[in-house]
Amino acid sequence: MPNAAVELLEIEPDIIQVTMQDKAHKNAFSKELTDGLMEAFTRIKKSSVYKAVILTGYGHYFASGGTQEGLLRIQQGITKFTEDRMYSLALECDIPVISAMQGHGIGGGFVMGLFSDFVILSKESVYTANFMKYGFTPGMGATFIVPEKLGASLGHEMLLNGGHYRGGDLEKRGVPFPVLPRQEVLDYAQELARELAEKPRNSLITLKRHLVTPFREQLPAVIEKELIMHDETFHDDEVKKRITTMYGV
């Protein structure tokens, strides 16, 4: 791929790894990263060979959510988070997707990872649904997928307080995902992908479609409600001030 922010690597003939590596933005949702992800999953959809996708980041970063510029554009009413459907790329992918979240998953970056079929966390990394830190209500399907994947109690806590949680802390809270030392996350994901690749491709596609159809059917109504909440909360002056002064802190 010509896009340097996203690398596609065939681990084996039927396993593809998508590595987010926009180091200039620490894997925030820059145009380079979003374009690269959209192109990567388009290419995967066109393939008749792949059986599993591994989605991962670089170093200490999995994905960091919206850029400051992007959040300010939403705050100013110039755009909405629905400009693309990047957040649901893993959900819409025909074949199973493994989020190897070796690094920090922040805001929309964490949410994007949770839409995968398999989630692997790092003990050392920070995971946060930090929308409310900036004063606006969550988007990108967060109000649905965070409680769905982490359980209502912990999910609502993460959404309401926008706090930061180490993977090791989430492990103690009973999250239903493997939580491993950072250096072991990708190896675990690749072994899991090999186990999936032992199955017939058509059977993987058929079963995934059956398992995620309820999510796919519910998500549009959730997104519509999140957009209504954004109209009520995102355009306040306090939100603009928080994005301007607190971003990246």
Side-chain angles (χ1 to χ4, degrees), residues 15-46:
I15 299 172
I16 188 76
Q17 181 172 304
V18 180
T19 302
M20 298 176 284
Q21 52 185 20
D22 186 351
K23 297 180 181 179
H25 298 93
K26 298 180 179 178
N27 275 355
F29 293 156
S30 64
K31 187 178 188 304
E32 294 80 6
L33 186 66
T34 56
D35 286 353
L37 283 171
M38 298 292 286
E39 180 184 352
F41 277 87
T42 296
R43 291 181 63 172
I44 290 167
K45 186 174 183 62
K46 291 179 179 178

Side-chain angles (χ1 to χ4, degrees), residues 116-167:
S116 292
D117 304 284
F118 300 89
V119 177
I120 309 164
L121 304 181
S122 156
K123 289 180 181 290
E124 304 94 326
S125 297
V126 169
Y127 304 99
T128 177
N130 65 341
F131 306 89
M132 290 288 281
K133 169 185 174 182
Y134 300 109
F136 59 86
T137 50
M140 300 185 68
T143 58
F144 169 68
I145 201 64
V146 174
E148 178 70 31
K149 289 295 185 77
L150 280 77
S153 179
L154 178 57
H156 291 173
E157 176 186 318
M158 293 186 75
L159 291 169
L160 284 165
N161 73 15
H164 289 59
Y165 300 76
R166 294 280 177 185

Side-chain angles (χ1 to χ4, degrees), residues 4-245:
V6 176
E7 179 188 58
L8 272 178
L9 176 66
E10 286 190 358
I11 302 300
E12 293 179 6
D14 45 12
I15 299 172
I16 188 76
Q17 181 172 304
V18 180
T19 302
M20 298 176 284
Q21 52 185 20
D22 186 351
K23 297 180 181 179
H25 298 93
K26 298 180 179 178
N27 275 355
F29 293 156
S30 64
K31 187 178 188 304
E32 294 80 6
L33 186 66
T34 56
D35 286 353
L37 283 171
M38 298 292 286
E39 180 184 352
F41 277 87
T42 296
R43 291 181 63 172
I44 290 167
K45 186 174 183 62
K46 291 179 179 178
S47 168
S48 60
V49 175
Y50 300 134
K51 296 181 177 181
V53 180
I54 299 170
L55 178 63
T56 193
Y58 76 92
H60 291 185
Y61 292 94
F62 174 71
S64 299
T67 63
Q68 186 179 51
E69 178 186 5
L71 294 178
L72 287 172
R73 285 173 60 83
I74 296 175
Q75 194 278 328
Q76 295 161 12
I78 298 172
T79 188
K80 299 180 184 292
F81 70 82
T82 49
E83 285 286 307
D84 55 56
R85 294 178 58 85
M86 185 188 65
Y87 53 89
S88 61
L89 285 173
L91 179 66
E92 300 298 337
C93 187
D94 293 333
I95 57 178
V97 179
I98 303 164
S99 277
M101 300 176 70
Q102 90 306 328
H104 307 315
I106 301 169
F110 181 51
V111 172
M112 181 179 66
L114 292 181
F115 273 108
S116 292
D117 304 284
F118 300 89
V119 177
I120 309 164
L121 304 181
S122 156
K123 289 180 181 290
E124 304 94 326
S125 297
V126 169
Y127 304 99
T128 177
N130 65 341
F131 306 89
M132 290 288 281
K133 169 185 174 182
Y134 300 109
F136 59 86
T137 50
M140 300 185 68
T143 58
F144 169 68
I145 201 64
V146 174
E148 178 70 31
K149 289 295 185 77
L150 280 77
S153 179
L154 178 57
H156 291 173
E157 176 186 318
M158 293 186 75
L159 291 169
L160 284 165
N161 73 15
H164 289 59
Y165 300 76
R166 294 280 177 185
D169 297 327
L170 292 176
E171 182 179 29
K172 293 175 184 176
R173 296 287 297 271
V175 293
F177 314 129
V179 183
L180 307 172
R182 178 177 290 127
Q183 68 270 18
E184 297 179 15
V185 168
L186 191 54
D187 287 343
Y188 185 98
Q190 291 178 355
E191 184 57 35
L192 175 57
R194 292 186 182 100
E195 292 175 4
L196 290 168
E198 293 173 357
K199 284 72 174 176
R201 173 179 154 87
N202 183 55
S203 296
L204 287 169
I205 292 172
T206 301
L207 181 55
K208 171 169 178 173
R209 182 172 60 243
H210 171 75
L211 292 173
V212 304
T213 289
F215 293 3
R216 290 173 176 171
E217 291 177 345
Q218 293 177 64
L219 187 58
V222 171
I223 296 299
E224 183 177 347
K225 291 176 181 177
E226 289 182 347
L227 286 171
I228 291 172
M229 289 193 292
H230 274 193
D231 285 340
E232 296 176 358
T233 65
F234 220 124
H235 309 302
D236 291 350
D237 288 339
E238 181 182 355
V239 171
K240 180 178 181 180
K241 180 178 178 181
R242 285 174 178 244
I243 295 171
T244 303
T245 61

